[in-house]
Amino acid sequence: MLVGLCGGICAGKHAIAEYLIQHQGFQLLELSSRSPHHITDEPDDDLRLQTSDFSKTGEAQSEFVFDTADSLLDFATKRWQERWVTTDIANGEVLDRFLLRPFFLLVSVDAPVSLRWKRFSDRCRRRQLDPPDLEKFVLWNDRHLYEKDIGRVYLTDRAHMRLFNSSSSLKELHQSLQALDLADEQRLRPNWDQYFMQLASLAAQRSNCMKRRVGCVLVRERRVISTGYNGTPRHLTNCNEGGCPRCNRGDGGGVGLSTCLCLHAEENALLEAGRERIREGAILYCDTCPCLTCTVKIAQVGISEVVYSQGYNMDKDSAAILEAAGVRLRQFSPPSNGLIYLQGSVGTAAT
């Protein structure tokens, strides 16, 4: 496993790297030379140091140092079953090569700019340097993140996980990281539930229904049988173009259902598959719990299990029907891979 950490100035990426090294058996991979990231026009060497090597805490030193990002990646590839961490991913071109590896996890780290300025100022004082005022730091930060082609936002926007490090103590940061467990290798590859639910969510993006977007995937033996999303039938005007008067009137849930022209995502998936392709053992993934109308059809065609992510306004009724029909119903709980808050309290500042 190789964890790549990226983020803004003093967001906490090096503190997180040190935690992984000290507590979870990771080893640090570094590049021997890193081009200074010029986020200021000041020629002063101290200022240049502050924005490049100065960003490191200096507490974690690596015995694995490489001349190029390619040689670093090649080393990690041959030892992918071990735990590695790096903060030396410089640009999008390098990141593209790292993302090709199935053992690589990109984690971005951010924090409030006022807190990052305080951390940066504390570092300056520890090194007997004059800290910048907040306005200058904000200007540096903007260039660091948004400089054309080399800004760190090109990396952070592609992260698998995004951590918001508002911790005010290393102790609290470590507690949050322990609970999060970045070393969990299941983060590297979606499990089957996550994979099929993501396909259902992708299908939902094709929906033209004015009420809500819903997507559905039918699966048997871990193979996709069919997909569906809600909207008006083929050859009819799309719902979002006025094709369904009921949806366009904005009627509330359960009102005027008999006048609705939109097929539901589950209906479209079932119609596409046909009963002969569904058979016993088929699983229906839907990003919203099926309504009663779809539930009785699901029971009729022999679906064995329904997995959903979001609730609807008739979940209990649908659940009762599916239970009576012998169809298993369960709610999908996605892993914590989105924006995750790491909050702290009292103690040493996390930098």
Side-chain angles (χ1 to χ4, degrees), residues 114-146:
S114 59
L115 179 57
R116 293 194 285 115
W117 171 61
K118 181 181 182 303
R119 294 170 180 170
F120 190 83
S121 298
D122 290 343
R123 284 189 189 175
C124 287
R125 295 186 186 96
R126 289 198 298 268
R127 288 163 173 79
Q128 298 183 331
L129 296 169
D130 293 330
D133 58 29
L134 178 58
E135 181 179 1
K136 177 172 283 189
F137 181 81
V138 169
L139 293 174
W140 289 355
N141 176 70
D142 287 347
R143 295 192 62 185
H144 180 74
L145 291 177
Y146 304 112

Side-chain angles (χ1 to χ4, degrees), residues 239-265:
C239 182
N240 62 348
E241 296 172 339
C244 177
R246 184 256 177 184
C247 288
N248 280 267
R249 286 195 305 268
D251 290 346
V255 177
L257 292 179
S258 61
T259 65
C260 184
L261 301 182
C262 286
L263 287 166
H264 289 192

Side-chain angles (χ1 to χ4, degrees), residues 18-62:
E18 288 171 8
Y19 169 82
L20 293 175
I21 293 165
Q22 295 170 8
H23 299 279
Q24 295 198 318
F26 280 75
Q27 299 179 80
L28 183 65
L29 302 181
E30 290 186 299
L31 294 180
S32 58
S33 60
R34 293 176 294 278
S35 300
H37 191 67
H38 296 287
I39 60 171
T40 174
D41 296 327
E42 298 283 351
D44 189 288
D45 288 340
D46 284 342
L47 291 178
R48 209 173 292 124
L49 181 66
Q50 290 173 6
T51 59
S52 55
D53 293 331
F54 183 56
S55 65
K56 298 222 167 188
T57 59
E59 293 159 1
Q61 299 296 327
S62 176

Side-chain angles (χ1 to χ4, degrees), residues 295-306 317-329:
T295 297
V296 296
K297 294 173 182 176
I298 289 168
Q300 176 66 13
V301 298
I303 298 291
S304 297
E305 184 177 17
V306 173
D317 295 328
S318 295
I321 292 173
L322 292 174
E323 182 180 9
V327 180
R328 183 185 180 195
L329 175 69

Side-chain angles (χ1 to χ4, degrees), residues 309-322:
S309 58
Q310 303 175 42
Y312 193 43
N313 58 14
M314 52 187 73
D315 293 2
K316 291 183 179 180
D317 295 328
S318 295
I321 292 173
L322 292 174

Side-chain angles (χ1 to χ4, degrees), residues 77-318:
T77 300
K78 294 174 181 177
R79 298 160 180 82
W80 65 271
Q81 291 178 308
E82 300 175 53
R83 291 180 173 183
W84 308 100
V85 61
T86 185
T87 60
D88 289 344
I89 300 174
N91 54 56
E93 182 180 347
V94 170
L95 177 60
D96 286 338
R97 297 197 289 274
F98 277 64
L99 289 172
L100 293 174
R101 300 297 195 266
F103 56 84
F104 176 67
L105 182 73
L106 181 65
V107 179
S108 71
V109 189
D110 200 0
V113 67
S114 59
L115 179 57
R116 293 194 285 115
W117 171 61
K118 181 181 182 303
R119 294 170 180 170
F120 190 83
S121 298
D122 290 343
R123 284 189 189 175
C124 287
R125 295 186 186 96
R126 289 198 298 268
R127 288 163 173 79
Q128 298 183 331
L129 296 169
D130 293 330
D133 58 29
L134 178 58
E135 181 179 1
K136 177 172 283 189
F137 181 81
V138 169
L139 293 174
W140 289 355
N141 176 70
D142 287 347
R143 295 192 62 185
H144 180 74
L145 291 177
Y146 304 112
E147 185 84 359
K148 189 176 185 297
D149 297 329
I150 61 173
R152 289 302 187 264
V153 73
Y154 289 91
L155 308 181
T156 59
D157 280 357
R158 303 174 68 186
H160 301 103
M161 296 182 64
R162 297 181 296 135
L163 307 183
F164 191 75
N165 176 26
S166 58
S167 302
S168 59
S169 74
L170 282 174
K171 179 180 179 181
E172 190 68 21
L173 174 63
H174 289 182
Q175 289 174 344
S176 298
L177 292 172
Q178 182 180 10
L180 184 61
D181 191 13
L182 286 174
D184 184 357
E185 294 189 358
Q186 291 187 11
R187 300 184 186 281
L188 296 173
R189 188 184 186 199
N191 60 34
W192 288 111
D193 275 358
Q194 187 179 1
Y195 173 65
F196 292 126
M197 196 61 74
Q198 286 176 346
L199 292 180
S201 296
L202 179 61
Q205 298 306 304
R206 284 289 303 166
S207 169
N208 61 67
C209 180
M210 291 295 292
K211 292 290 290 184
R212 70 170 65 208
R213 286 178 164 178
V214 182
C216 178
V217 174
L218 270 176
V219 176
R220 189 180 68 250
E221 297 176 353
R222 294 178 177 174
R223 294 180 180 273
V224 175
I225 303 172
S226 66
T227 63
Y229 54 86
N230 57 330
T232 50
R234 65 179 62 188
H235 306 308
L236 271 67
T237 302
N238 286 338
C239 182
N240 62 348
E241 296 172 339
C244 177
R246 184 256 177 184
C247 288
N248 280 267
R249 286 195 305 268
D251 290 346
V255 177
L257 292 179
S258 61
T259 65
C260 184
L261 301 182
C262 286
L263 287 166
H264 289 192
E266 302 94 320
E267 292 175 312
N268 273 322
L270 295 172
L271 289 169
E272 178 68 23
R275 184 183 175 107
E276 70 280 359
R277 293 177 59 199
I278 296 174
R279 302 201 300 272
E280 185 178 353
I283 302 174
L284 184 145
Y285 287 87
C286 193
D287 56 5
T288 303
C289 189
C291 69
L292 288 178
T293 302
C294 290
T295 297
V296 296
K297 294 173 182 176
I298 289 168
Q300 176 66 13
V301 298
I303 298 291
S304 297
E305 184 177 17
V306 173
V307 185
Y308 71 97
S309 58
Q310 303 175 42
Y312 193 43
N313 58 14
M314 52 187 73
D315 293 2
K316 291 183 179 180
D317 295 328
S318 295

